[in-house]
Amino acid sequence: MAGRIEARLAELGITLPTPAAPVANYVPFVLSGALVVVSGQVPMRDGKVAYSGKLGSTVSQEIGQQAAQLCLVNVLAQLKAALGDLDRVRRVVRLGGFIACTPEFTAHAAVMNGASDLAVAVFGDLGRHARSTIGVPSLPMDAAVEVEGMFEFA
């Protein structure tokens, strides 16, 4: 039986994918006390990067927001693997966003809103979080966006 958060994801038309395996020497998540930290997730779909390139060049702000949203879906898939049940989440503590972009691009925050808005849509007020968003010259596998997260759980 699906819990409250998974029911909310279904209402939003979101099915969590199988969590991606790490592509280097790290683990996908770490549990410490009442916190779970999820490693950065790129916009993977069906085993491939769905959104590649750079904001300010080959990727529009709207597409960047979609990429950030997909990154958060992948973060949530890792979170479910870590906790077994997303209803255990007590708070989205922090999201970090990395936006692959040209030096002239400055709408990083608007792109990251794709992930932040989804966190609030899924978790309600418990989804409101602290956040950092930075522009970077490149990301693994030419991904346009990468998102990491920290969550409090019971």
Side-chain angles (χ1 to χ4, degrees):
M1 181 173 180
R4 178 181 53 86
I5 297 302
E6 290 197 50
R8 180 65 182 137
L9 286 167
E11 287 173 18
L12 294 169
I14 296 170
T15 302
L16 295 180
T18 300
V23 297
N25 187 17
Y26 64 92
V27 294
F29 55 82
V30 171
L31 297 162
S32 181
L35 294 177
V36 58
V37 178
V38 178
S39 294
Q41 301 294 305
V42 296
M44 298 283 282
R45 184 181 291 129
D46 300 323
K48 294 183 274 191
V49 173
Y51 300 97
S52 59
K54 290 187 179 17
L55 279 288
S57 175
T58 58
V59 179
S60 71
Q61 183 175 310
E62 179 180 76
I63 296 298
Q65 289 169 335
Q66 292 172 16
Q69 184 177 31
L70 180 55
C71 289
L72 187 69
V73 168
N74 291 326
V75 166
L76 295 178
Q78 295 290 357
L79 184 61
K80 182 177 179 191
L83 300 178
D85 182 354
L86 292 175
D87 285 354
R88 294 181 65 194
V89 173
R90 294 292 169 246
R91 178 85 196 200
V92 179
V93 176
R94 179 187 179 281
L95 295 179
F98 305 90
I99 314 301
C101 61
T102 63
E104 303 78 26
F105 185 79
T106 60
H108 310 89
V111 170
M112 186 58 183
N113 280 345
S116 292
D117 292 348
L118 180 58
V120 174
V122 170
F123 293 101
D125 281 342
L126 299 177
R128 298 193 185 285
H129 52 273
R131 182 176 96 176
S132 296
T133 305
I134 61 170
V136 296
S138 66
L139 287 167
M141 299 174 288
D142 195 33
V145 179
E146 182 173 342
V147 174
E148 63 184 11
M150 180 185 298
F151 304 83
E152 181 183 4
F153 68 96

